[in-house]
Amino acid sequence: MAAGIRGVSMVELASAVDEALLGLGDGVTRVQRKQYTAFQRLRNFACVCPPQKAKLLVYLKVDPRQVDLIPGLTRDVSGLGHHGTGDLEVQLRTPRDVERAQDLFRASYAAA
């Protein structure tokens, strides 16, 4: 298994995201779909795509116009085709990115 940036494998990064999303509150369930993994409360609030070579993409139910987009971390994908639910794409490359995305994860969970 090839290590990603700074020696962190994408599998380890995906595991950290999985733990962060499941830990947001009671009643969070993980549903494996063909193209992505959905995290839901009453409805989907996060969709995690399979890891790419150097990044993990998470789509959140957060209005991109309501947050400060950070180049290289977040992007508005409303109107663009992608797998999963949500108009905010979060690109995770390191454990630090997962920490930086926590508030976005919480906002998406709260909206579900």
Side-chain angles (χ1 to χ4, degrees):
M1 176 184 331
I5 298 170
R6 296 194 187 129
V8 176
S9 78
M10 289 296 108
V11 171
E12 291 169 320
L13 199 60
S15 178
V17 170
D18 191 66
E19 190 176 312
L21 292 171
L22 287 172
L24 287 173
D26 293 335
V28 175
T29 56
R30 179 191 323 112
V31 179
Q32 186 62 50
R33 302 284 185 211
K34 189 173 184 178
Q35 301 292 338
Y36 59 88
T37 302
F39 291 82
Q40 49 192 210
R41 191 167 154 195
L42 300 173
R43 57 180 190 256
N44 289 1
F45 68 87
C47 295
V48 180
C49 293
Q52 297 177 358
K53 188 175 275 190
K55 66 184 172 185
L56 186 66
L57 299 180
V58 181
Y59 295 98
L60 300 174
K61 279 277 224 194
V62 173
D63 186 344
R65 296 167 302 196
Q66 303 295 320
V67 297
D68 293 327
L69 297 177
I70 302 166
L73 180 69
T74 54
R75 150 177 116 117
D76 181 348
V77 293
S78 49
L80 300 178
H82 62 86
H83 293 293
T85 305
D87 290 334
L88 183 69
E89 177 185 88
V90 182
Q91 302 169 30
L92 305 170
R93 294 176 177 84
T94 66
R96 172 82 179 107
D97 290 343
V98 177
E99 291 172 27
R100 291 168 64 198
Q102 287 291 344
D103 287 341
L104 296 171
F105 292 167
R106 280 191 280 276
S108 188
Y109 171 79

